[in-house]
């Protein structure tokens, strides 16, 4: 309908108005988040200090050498590592593919969901909404290039000088911006579906080539792959910063290409459609949620564009006729877990890759450091556990099926435990088996890791059934939007039990030996993790007696 | 409400010339097939909508009504065929389109720190509405949100948030209004008031494209209807109201 109108506000004024109104109501700051998490931070530090003391004591008692545990290598003497060049090239191509995959999903040209809902319908030039964020976000690929290129260039350059390293970083920034520009151009022109699939495959497969090469080198004897045979890897565009670090200047042409592409994107910013902006905003919200829950499975799905990769044709029996009601219900739940897992083959592949990543690290020359491997192992274990906990997490979000089962809640929870426990035990066997094949650890460490597997299953369940952050609590403003107080605590539920379950294994890995006491200690922690993970919290009303604080109604048994 | 604009209103704005010409075909869909990518979700649709008409798209869940509407307003690419708005191919990137077309889908996305009236102020100010505060106050009253003007959307009930979204379409000028199941989550009284209001606006020259499942709402608001199911049927509002109420929707 017609209304009296005057000159409209422009996009800049609307953007400023929205931010200023929002900022005027910030209820807390980052310090609130820190203080909220301090007990967990303090607990973590105490645990690390205790673990450090145990490691030093164990190393002394086992007589594994006087070298500091922080510098000790876990790779067996005489082991043929993958060359540093192959490793660097693999790391660069993996990170480049991962960066491109993320950018193509979330979109370099990005807005939040509320912004797309409330700003995009306004009759003002959209450049004012899009351009500031686009220009500011150029800093992220540049920062990533600095963080990645400096250590790799320092390690790879034959004669590193500050000038060469600076030029290598410049070339790295060019590479980052080129990928960023490429993703933006695909977003504007609504193209590049095949490129996204390719980046996904490279990200998954590239780390496996390191393990494959190391295993081959250790069995091939004189036929092992030499540095000369892998020299061509240096000429992959993703490795050009390394060439610059070694004195070549021609790869700097990449910076020119990147600037030209970014200029093209800049002039065409307003060609992007509402649909693309909304798609990017929804993907961004999904990714942020997955990051908040430290959920590898959800994160991978969100970065894959939210499409289901599963095969719905797989149908296992869900209704059983033989046996008691109890056994039939248990079978149904177990069958549900199996169906969901088989319908997500990519998720299972991800678990396999995560089992190989610690071995990939150990396979690289100079990177077989015990502490480094232990840290990577912890994260891989957690992400593998979240992948295997997808069905349990779904049950937590949609409890209707669980509630319909004629089983006590505790039994249902224990049935949910079976799949993650078996999966993580197999994962631990594969991960430490691969490490053992590369000469890291010992058969005793492998057995210890297998004992930790069921404990990791408990951690999976704890993460899957963690209470959701209370969004009614006062919000704290952060760079990524408001976060309710209590969110950080929820964020740590799950990863904490993964650490506790893996503690004896990690201590023994870093110490370089497995004392007999480690086995009962590991068994004890696994039992605790099982009890903790399968514990069903009673609702508050049940704890206090009756509903609304009234005395509980006596129940006739 | 003076603090609502954080000083942005300090620049006096000149009134722009009023749009006078009322074009005939506000919306024209020609052999339009809506879907995702190359996969169509419904049959071929053709219709036109003039100023002072209200077209209701009705049919069972999953028939593709909302997909058709999203295609008509350019939020999805058509699998085949064309959609024209005011004679031009749909492109929601143009200023003219956004000036003329108000769209309300069920997007439950809000700025967490902004109040109800501040959300509406963004829309009004973005469209250069005179007397923003009066317009917003009036719409908040109409939608029963007067007492909640200073509340934040996530503290509202689902139905109140729905009212707020609908209000956002009324605090700005519009020649075409597109609503996707506006009756959802509204109480009966509000549904009735909204239907009466829409009818009055259509009588005054608004073109309305609406997806609905409510026979009463449909009967009050629509001047014609399109039944979308396995096949597409053009109907009168009375026939469509019967069709969506009955087991057998194929009413001729």
């Amino acid at each position: 309908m017609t209304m009296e109108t005057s000159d409209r506000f422009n996009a800049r004024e609307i953007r400023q108005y929205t931010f200023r109104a929002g900022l005027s109501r910030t209820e807390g700051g980052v310090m609130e988040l820190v203080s909220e998490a301090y007990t967990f931070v303090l607990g973590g530090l105490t645990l690390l200090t205790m673990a450090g003391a145990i490691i030093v004591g164990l190393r002394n008692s086992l007589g594994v050498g006087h070298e500091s545990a922080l510098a000790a290598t876990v790779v067996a003497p005489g082991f043929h590592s993958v060359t540093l060049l192959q490793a660097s090239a693999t790391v660069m191509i993996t990170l480049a593919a991962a960066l491109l995959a993320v950018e193509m999903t979330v979109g370099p040209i990005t807005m939040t969901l509320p912004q797309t809902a409330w700003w995009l319908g306004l009759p003002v030039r959209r450049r004012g909404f899009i351009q500031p964020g686009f220009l500011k976000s150029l800093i992220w690929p540049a920062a990533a290039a600095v963080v990645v290129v400096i250590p790799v260039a320092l390690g790879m350059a034959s004669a590193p000088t500050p000038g060469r390293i600076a030029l290598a970083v410049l070339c790295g920034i060019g590479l980052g911006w080129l990928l960023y520009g490429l993703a933006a151009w695909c977003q504007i022109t609504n193209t590049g579906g095949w490129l996204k699939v390719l980046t996904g495959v490279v990200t998954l497969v590239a780390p496996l080539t390191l393990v494959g090469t190391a295993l081959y080198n250790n069995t091939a004897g004189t036929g092992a792959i030499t540095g000369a045979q892998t020299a061509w890897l240096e000429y992959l565009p993703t490795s050009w910063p390394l060439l610059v670090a070694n004195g070549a200047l021609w790869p700097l042409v990449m910076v020119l290409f990147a600037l030209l592409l970014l200029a093209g994107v800049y002039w065409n910013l307003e060609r992007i459609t509402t649909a693309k902006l909304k798609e990017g905003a929804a993907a961004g919200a999904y990714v942020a949620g997955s990051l908040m829950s430290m959920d590898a499975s959800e994160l991978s799905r969100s970065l894959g564009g939210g499409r289901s990769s599963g095969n719905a044709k797989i149908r296992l029996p869900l209704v059983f006729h033989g046996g008691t009601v109890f056994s039939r219900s248990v079978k149904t739940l177990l069958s549900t877990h199996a169906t969901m897992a088989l319908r997500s083959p990519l998720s299972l592949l991800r678990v396999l890759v995560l089992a190989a990543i610690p071995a990939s690290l150990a396979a690289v020359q100079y990177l077989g450091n015990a502490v480094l491997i232990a840290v990577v192992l912890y994260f891989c274990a957690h992400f593998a556990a979240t992948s295997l906990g997808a069905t349990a997490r779904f049950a937590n979000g949609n409890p209707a099926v669980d509630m319909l089962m004629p089983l006590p809640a505790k039994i249902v929870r224990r049935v949910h435990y079976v799949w993650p426990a078996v999966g993580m035990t197999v994962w631990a066997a594969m991960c430490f088996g691969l490490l053992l094949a590369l000469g890291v650890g010992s058969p005793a460490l492998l057995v210890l890791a297998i004992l930790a597997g069921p404990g990791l299953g408990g951690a999976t369940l704890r993460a899957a059934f963690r209470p959701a952050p209370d969004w009614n609590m006062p919000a704290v403003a952060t760079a990524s939007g408001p976060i309710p107080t209590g969110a950080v605590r929820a964020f740590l539920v799950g990863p904490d039990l993964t650490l506790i379950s893996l503690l004896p294994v990690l201590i023994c890995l870093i110490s370089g030996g497995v004392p007999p006491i480690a086995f009962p200690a590991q068994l004890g922690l696994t039992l605790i993790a099982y009890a903790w993970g399968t514990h069903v919290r009673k609702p508050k009303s049940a704890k206090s007696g009756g509903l609304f604080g009234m005395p509980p109604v006596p129940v006739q048994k | 409400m003076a603090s609502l604009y954080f000083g942005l209103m300090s620049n006096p704005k000149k009134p722009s010339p009023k749009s006078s010409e009322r074009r005939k075909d506000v919306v024209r869909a020609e052999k339009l097939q809506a879907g995702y990518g190359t996969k169509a979700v419904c049959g071929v649709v053709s219709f036109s909508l003039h100023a002072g008409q209200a077209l209701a798209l009705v049919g069972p869940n999953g028939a593709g009504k909302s997909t058709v509407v999203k295609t008509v307003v350019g939020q999805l690419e058509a699998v085949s065929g064309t959609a024209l708005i005011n004679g031009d191919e749909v492109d929601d990137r143009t200023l003219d389109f956004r000036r003329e077309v108000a769209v309300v889908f069920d997007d439950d996305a809000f700025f967490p720190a902004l109040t109800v009236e501040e959300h509406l102020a963004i829309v009004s100010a973005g469209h250069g509405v005179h007397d923003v505060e009066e317009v917003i106050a009036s719409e908040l009253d109409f939608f029963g949100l007067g007492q909640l003007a200073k509340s934040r959307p996530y503290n509202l009930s689902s139905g109140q948030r729905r009212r707020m979204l609908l209000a956002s379409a009324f605090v700005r000028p519009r020649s075409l209004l597109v609503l996707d199941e506006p009756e959802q989550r509204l109480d009966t009284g509000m549904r009735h008031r909204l239907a009466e209001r829409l009818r009055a606006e259509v009588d005054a020259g608004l073109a309305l494209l609406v997806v609905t499942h409510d026979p009463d709402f449909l009967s009050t608001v629509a001047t014609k209807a399109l039944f979308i199911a396995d096949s597409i049927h053009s109907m009168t509002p009375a026939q469509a109201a019967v069709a969506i109420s009955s087991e057998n929707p194929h009413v001729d």
Side-chain angles (χ1 to χ4, degrees), chain B residues 136-159:
Chain B
I136 291 175
S138 152
E139 294 304 336
L140 286 175
D141 278 345
F142 176 81
F143 283 96
L145 296 172
Q147 302 294 316
L148 299 166
K150 308 269 183 222
S151 301
R152 284 187 249 174
Y154 290 113
N155 293 330
L156 303 183
S157 75
S158 156

Side-chain angles (χ1 to χ4, degrees), chain A residues 489-509:
Chain A
R489 213 167 296 158
F491 180 75
L492 293 168
V493 172
D496 52 357
L497 199 52
T498 305
L499 181 61
I500 291 168
S501 305
L502 272 179
L503 213 51
V505 179
L506 297 181
I507 289 173
C508 290
L509 175 71

Side-chain angles (χ1 to χ4, degrees), chain A residues 4 49 102 209 220 305 325 360 448 510:
Chain A
E4 288 275 321
T49 312
V102 171
T209 61
V325 172
S360 310
L448 199 65
I510 298 172

Side-chain angles (χ1 to χ4, degrees), chain A residues 1-9 13-14 16-25 27 112-115 117-126 129 188 190 270-275 278 472 482, chain B residues 4-6 8-9 13-16 18 75 77 92-93 95 98-99 107 109-115 118-119 121-123 125-130 152 164-165 168 170-174 201 204 206:
Chain A
M1 300 284 11
T2 53
M3 279 184 182
E4 288 275 321
T5 57
S6 56
D7 286 350
R8 282 168 284 278
F9 292 126
E13 288 169 320
I14 291 163
Q16 285 180 346
Y17 166 69
T18 310
F19 285 128
R20 277 151 69 183
L23 278 176
S24 69
R25 305 203 174 82
E27 286 146 330
T112 64
L113 280 175
Q115 286 170 353
W118 291 91
W119 287 355
L120 288 184
L122 302 178
V124 294
R125 285 194 66 189
R126 286 182 178 175
F129 294 138
I188 287 171
N190 199 11
E270 283 185 286
R271 277 180 60 196
I272 191 163
T273 60
T274 305
K278 287 197 165 190
N472 288 319
Chain B
L4 198 57
Y5 306 105
F6 290 88
L8 287 178
M9 294 295 277
K13 309 284 180 180
K14 294 174 194 165
S16 63
K18 283 183 187 175
Q75 292 199 4
E77 262 184 60
D92 70 349
R93 291 170 292 187
L95 296 185
R98 283 177 266 152
R99 207 172 283 135
D107 293 329
F110 305 96
F111 295 104
L114 262 54
T115 63
E118 283 166 349
H119 276 85
I122 288 175
V123 180
H127 281 271
V129 171
H130 262 330
R152 284 187 249 174
M164 178 187 159
L165 277 177
S168 71
F170 291 89
V171 295
R172 49 158 291 184
R174 59 212 168 269
E201 293 211 359
L206 176 77

Side-chain angles (χ1 to χ4, degrees), chain B residues 68-112:
Chain B
V68 169
V69 167
K70 281 185 178 165
T71 309
V72 167
V73 296
Q75 292 199 4
L76 283 175
E77 262 184 60
V79 175
S80 63
T82 51
L84 306 172
I85 292 197
N86 290 329
D88 298 321
E89 216 162 300
V90 173
D91 184 354
D92 70 349
R93 291 170 292 187
T94 63
L95 296 185
D96 277 347
F97 178 95
R98 283 177 266 152
R99 207 172 283 135
E100 302 285 335
V101 184
V103 183
V104 180
F105 289 119
D106 204 1
D107 293 329
D108 225 9
F110 305 96
F111 295 104

Side-chain angles (χ1 to χ4, degrees), chain B residues 162 166 179-184 186 194 198 210-212 217:
Chain B
R162 182 69 175 153
L166 289 166
L179 302 173
D180 189 6
E181 300 184 27
E183 74 276 9
Q184 291 301 317
L186 297 184
L194 178 65
L198 287 172
V210 62
V211 175
T212 183
F217 189 88

Side-chain angles (χ1 to χ4, degrees), chain A residues 76-101:
Chain A
F79 175 74
H80 293 278
S81 304
V82 173
T83 62
L84 209 50
L85 172 62
Q86 186 187 343
S88 309
T90 309
V91 166
M92 294 292 279
I93 200 167
T94 307
L95 291 178
L99 178 68
L100 191 55

